Amino acid sequence: MEVLYAFLLLGGLGLFFGIILSICGKIFYVKVDTRVENVKNMLPNYNCGSCGYPGCAGLAEALVKGEVNDPSRCKPCKKEEAEKIRNYLKENK
């Protein structure tokens, strides 16, 4: 009988916290800017940090926010790729 009480108590607590987490996940959902991921995928993804940012994700975020205007700040990035990123950012402001 004691095992049944423990099972019901833990099951009830798990269900309660599961519902709370589900509600919090919907209330505090943060919409992600897909442009950052798209620009990151256009970069060479070496994550070398030669641009002064912590990897390609940091540079992509700075480019999308407008903190950096020149994608050629990425040293390994080819001129064609930098131009492609520039055009993408102009089209998707």
Side-chain angles (χ1 to χ4, degrees), residues 8-25:
L8 290 175
L9 178 66
L10 288 177
L13 284 172
L15 181 65
F16 172 74
F17 286 118
I19 291 170
I20 295 295
L21 283 173
S22 175
I23 292 169
C24 289

Side-chain angles (χ1 to χ4, degrees), residues 12-84:
L13 284 172
L15 181 65
F16 172 74
F17 286 118
I19 291 170
I20 295 295
L21 283 173
S22 175
I23 292 169
C24 289
K26 292 187 189 303
I27 291 173
F28 297 112
Y29 177 74
V30 176
K31 196 170 189 178
V32 178
D33 190 356
T34 57
R35 295 179 302 160
V36 174
E37 189 65 30
N38 293 339
V39 171
K40 181 180 163 258
N41 290 335
M42 290 181 204
L43 291 168
N45 290 315
Y46 291 155
N47 292 323
C48 60
S50 65
C51 59
Y53 286 89
C56 293
L59 179 61
E61 190 172 338
L63 285 166
V64 170
K65 285 182 179 178
E67 295 172 3
V68 176
N69 296 323
D70 190 18
S72 62
R73 185 169 180 169
C74 174
K75 306 295 188 245
C77 190
K78 297 178 184 173
K79 289 181 183 180
E80 300 84 29
E81 293 170 342
E83 191 60 36
K84 186 176 164 184

